[in-house]
Structures are given as structure tokens and as C-alpha cells.
Amino acid sequence: MKTKIVLLYFLFSFSLVLGQGEAAMPTLWQQPVSPLIGKGMTGVSNMERDPVSFYYNPATLANFDEENFFSFMLMPEKTEWGVFPGIEYFSSGVSAGINLKNYLNGFPLRLGIGFVRSGFDFGDFYVTTPDSPDGFKTNSKDVSNSFGVGIGVDYILKFNLGFTAKHWNSDLGERFFNGTLRRIEADGFAFDFGAFVHAPLVKLFFNDYEIQFDNNSFIKPKVDVSLGYSLLNVGGKVDYEYLEGDDPLPRNARIGYSINLGFDTDLSGTQLNLITYGFSAEADDILIKTREFNYWEENYSYSNVQTEYENIFGKINIGKHLIGLEEDRDVVVHKGHSLNLFETISINSGRYNGRGFPNYKTNSFTFSTQGIFKLLGRLIDDYTISWLTNHIVIKYSSINMFVDTAFETNLKGSSISINNISL
């Protein structure tokens, strides 16, 4: 019989990713701390450039292209997960990008790399045995280390491809087997694949149209459309030593699009985004289905449940799920809105429902120094201050999941970015 620690772990795991079948390793499913969580847990088609935004699509790493770029994110402390006592989440990450055009005789190649470490600490549990009626304390946690790379080429549109390799470890703590204390543990690898296309419509169809104020200042409308696809967590099953049976990884297909509308300006050489509104729609399907076999043997009835994976698109229907934005029992539909003001304040809101998720709401608020630093660099005539304001960006985000439910969880993260670096 499995111990209480195992039962609690799997109850939590299945509540996260229950779809056509059951999956383990919720860490591989949960998006690390990013403002995109507040945008309806989207990410497959977004142009957001934060250190962990590639988790739902490694191809977006190649969007660190306009400037040579380095950024890292830190979640200052573990965060309690909703109403689950003792369960805490943690994540951190780093990303970097470079435009190789100047090094490849003008060939427009972009490259981005990233690393994310994230996990759940399920807390301490007590395990009792006949020889130890008072029990002993043991700890359980899941950890994932993800290494991603994205590569992009500019040819009228921006085309990106990406790949992530993840090493995961699931430690359910210790228990006795045949009088010997054993640690229940499993580890392995999973892989993500992604594709991304970005179209700057004003630049393509209106020749980068701008409204001129004077010789040094202008305002420029911006209309961008992005499409993305990713296949996540491709790998073997989770098989714990000393325990019977195994469970599949949360293999997941995601397809989505994003639309951004806004205005950029240039004030005597200082480029600044005045305002941008963005909308993202995304559909995801857990590519797991179960088949139950019933049979008779020697006057006894037996049943056997087998899991298998679906094709790389699952049951996602473009018309129904992405255009009609209709969810169902197999596919989750994510919808998110964002408002960015003066490269300083970003507000996201969204929701997702389908496959058992009852229309969960999310939101996030981000404060960035980017806009303020640009203005300071223009106003203050000092080389050191000018360098810092032109190259350093600090962000702080407060993110809410499961808003207005008993499971509401608040996540906080900070990031520091260095951009416009000359190599």
C-alpha cells in the first residue's frame, strides 16, 4: 500500500493537469514566474522578453534580437501554493540573446539561449512503521532544470525555431521496504519544440509610416501579429523505484496568436513606446488518453488501464478554439489582455477554461525602470548615468493566479536586464 506522502503528491499532481488521462510532474506544466501568467497563462506567441518567457515556447528565445541582451530573474522566496498547506513554489532563470548579422556578412541570423530552474516543495511528511509508531519526518519535492535555445531568421517576416532540454527529478521522500529505508525517487529528461512567426504589419504594408512633429521628433503607429506553436514535455514516463506502475509526463500541444496595437515615438533621438495594447489567444491540449481493458481469467474479472499519447496537435481545432474561443472537455482556451504605458507600467489580465478548469482568472502588474531611465538619460548630462540608463532595466512583477477562488495564489518576481551591449 502506498504511503500518505505518495497519495498526497499524486492528488496534487492530478488536480493540476487532469485531461484525457493522468500526468505526473506538475513542475513541467507550471509556467515559471512571469507576467505572462497574468495574461491568462499564455506564452506560445508572445513577444514578451523576460528571462523565463520561453518556457511555453523555446522559439521565442530568438526574440532577444534587437539588441544584444542579457537578463536574469529571481523569485526572492518560495511562495505558498494557494490553500495547500506546506506546498511552496520556486523559480529562477536567465536568458541572453545576440544578433549575428554583423558577424555573418549581413546574414540576418538571431540567437537566444536560456535556463530556468523551477519546482514545487511539497513540504515535510511523517511516515510511521510498526517499529517507529511516532514516525519520522521526510520531505518531498519536484525540480526541473531547463536549457533552451532559439534561432531566428529575418526574411520579410521573422521566423523562429526553438528547442529545450529539461532534466527533471521527483523525490517523494523515504519509506520502508522489507525493513530497509528507501528513497522514492524518479528522474529523467523531457524535450520541448517550438516555432514562431512575427509580422510587423505597419512596417510591411505602410513602409514604417510615421507622423512627423519636427526634424527631430515623430510618432509611429505599431501593429504586430505573432503566431506560435509548441510541443512540450516529450519524453518517457515517470517510474518511481520501489513503486508499482508509472505515469506519463504532461506532454502538451499549444497553438496561439497575439495582436499588439500601439504607438512608438522618437524625441530627439530617444525612442520610447507610448502605449501598447495586446491580446493573446491560445489553446492547449494535454496529449494523453487512457484506454481501459477488462478481461476474465479463471473466473475473475480484471481491468487494466493503459495510457498513450495523441498526435502533435491533439484535439485542437483552429476554428473552434482559436477563432471562436470555445473551450471543451479536451482543450483549454486561454485569453489574455495587456496594457503597457511608457515602458514603465504593464497591466495584464486573462482567464482560461476547459478540460476541467472552471474559468480561472489571472492578473499581473509590472513596474519597469526602462521608460524612466530613458528620460533620465536624456535629461542628465553624465556619462555614467547615461550608460546605466541606456543599458540597465529593472523590473518587479506581482502576479495572481486562480483569482477570486479558494486557490488564489500570489507570485512575485524581480528581474534585471542588460541590453544594447556592444560585442
Side-chain angles (χ1 to χ4, degrees), residues 134-202:
D134 294 332
F136 64 91
K137 186 165 64 174
T138 186
N139 180 267
S140 172
K141 66 173 58 177
D142 282 354
V143 179
S144 171
N145 294 304
S146 304
F147 301 86
V149 59
I151 190 168
V153 175
D154 298 342
Y155 182 73
I156 303 177
L157 306 179
K158 293 179 179 291
F159 298 93
N160 299 354
L161 295 175
F163 171 78
T164 299
K166 301 175 178 176
H167 178 260
W168 55 265
N169 175 269
S170 182
D171 184 349
L172 302 187
E174 297 173 305
R175 61 166 291 185
F176 281 97
F177 285 88
N178 299 322
T180 303
L181 188 63
R182 305 286 189 183
R183 180 167 291 277
I184 307 170
E185 194 171 11
D187 63 0
F189 288 90
F191 305 95
D192 301 344
F193 307 87
F196 179 91
V197 180
H198 174 246
L201 299 185
V202 172

Side-chain angles (χ1 to χ4, degrees), residues 23 52 56 176 179 221 236 250 266 366 381 404:
V52 299
Y56 278 167
F176 281 97
D266 190 304
T366 299
D381 186 16
D404 297 332

Side-chain angles (χ1 to χ4, degrees), residues 16 43 80 101 142 168 192 198 231 310 329 345 389 408:
L16 283 176
E80 291 190 3
K101 183 177 180 179
D142 282 354
W168 55 265
D192 301 344
H198 174 246
L231 178 64
E310 297 183 350
R329 63 191 299 268
I345 294 174
T389 55
E408 184 165 345

Side-chain angles (χ1 to χ4, degrees), residues 80-385:
E80 291 190 3
W81 195 258
V83 296
F84 295 96
I87 295 178
E88 297 177 324
Y89 181 71
F90 57 91
S91 69
S92 59
V94 59
S95 295
I98 185 172
N99 194 324
L100 297 172
K101 183 177 180 179
N102 294 332
Y103 308 97
L104 298 175
N105 296 322
F107 185 74
L109 184 68
R110 297 169 281 112
L111 177 67
I113 57 174
F115 169 78
V116 172
R117 178 178 175 84
S118 60
F120 283 99
D121 186 335
F122 295 99
D124 296 326
F125 299 85
Y126 281 88
V127 176
T128 60
T129 69
D131 297 328
S132 179
D134 294 332
F136 64 91
K137 186 165 64 174
T138 186
N139 180 267
S140 172
K141 66 173 58 177
D142 282 354
V143 179
S144 171
N145 294 304
S146 304
F147 301 86
V149 59
I151 190 168
V153 175
D154 298 342
Y155 182 73
I156 303 177
L157 306 179
K158 293 179 179 291
F159 298 93
N160 299 354
L161 295 175
F163 171 78
T164 299
K166 301 175 178 176
H167 178 260
W168 55 265
N169 175 269
S170 182
D171 184 349
L172 302 187
E174 297 173 305
R175 61 166 291 185
F176 281 97
F177 285 88
N178 299 322
T180 303
L181 188 63
R182 305 286 189 183
R183 180 167 291 277
I184 307 170
E185 194 171 11
D187 63 0
F189 288 90
F191 305 95
D192 301 344
F193 307 87
F196 179 91
V197 180
H198 174 246
L201 299 185
V202 172
K203 183 176 181 179
L204 290 174
F205 296 106
F206 300 97
N207 195 29
D208 245 358
Y209 174 76
E210 60 188 41
I211 302 171
Q212 198 80 32
F213 293 136
D214 53 45
N215 292 332
N216 298 317
S217 303
F218 61 84
I219 189 171
K220 181 188 299 185
K222 179 176 69 173
V223 180
D224 297 341
V225 176
S226 302
L227 306 174
Y229 165 79
S230 63
L231 178 64
L232 308 177
N233 303 317
V234 177
K237 294 186 176 182
V238 181
D239 187 5
Y240 294 96
E241 193 173 5
Y242 310 112
L243 293 181
E244 294 183 1
D246 51 31
D247 293 284
L249 295 174
R251 185 177 298 185
N252 185 215
R254 305 182 79 95
I255 304 175
Y257 61 86
S258 295
I259 302 171
N260 292 303
L261 312 171
F263 292 94
D264 293 333
T265 188
D266 190 304
L267 302 173
S268 301
T270 300
Q271 297 181 3
L272 184 69
N273 174 247
L274 295 178
I275 184 172
T276 295
Y277 164 77
F279 172 76
S280 293
E282 194 165 311
D284 87 80
D285 185 7
I286 295 291
L287 304 179
I288 303 170
K289 60 182 179 181
T290 58
R291 299 177 64 188
E292 184 172 357
F293 299 90
N294 297 303
Y295 58 93
W296 286 83
E297 184 177 309
E298 297 182 358
N299 298 323
Y300 288 96
S301 175
Y302 296 88
S303 64
N304 182 29
V305 177
Q306 295 183 357
T307 60
E308 57 186 44
Y309 293 112
E310 297 183 350
N311 67 69
I312 62 173
F313 295 104
K315 293 184 173 64
I316 297 176
N317 181 287
I318 301 297
K320 176 182 179 180
H321 299 125
L322 290 175
I323 298 177
L325 300 178
E326 298 180 27
E327 79 287 346
D328 56 39
R329 63 191 299 268
D330 297 310
V331 176
V332 177
V333 173
H334 305 252
K335 293 167 280 188
H337 306 267
S338 63
L339 182 65
N340 303 298
L341 302 172
F342 309 111
E343 299 184 33
T344 302
I345 294 174
S346 297
I347 302 170
N348 292 339
S349 65
R351 62 183 63 216
Y352 58 97
N353 55 339
R355 202 175 65 231
F357 291 108
N359 202 24
Y360 282 134
K361 293 186 291 185
T362 65
N363 59 57
S364 64
F365 172 85
T366 299
F367 173 80
S368 171
T369 63
Q370 186 161 346
I372 295 172
F373 278 8
K374 282 184 177 182
L375 294 176
L376 284 176
R378 182 170 180 264
L379 295 174
I380 299 175
D381 186 16
D382 180 87
Y383 176 81
T384 301
I385 293 178

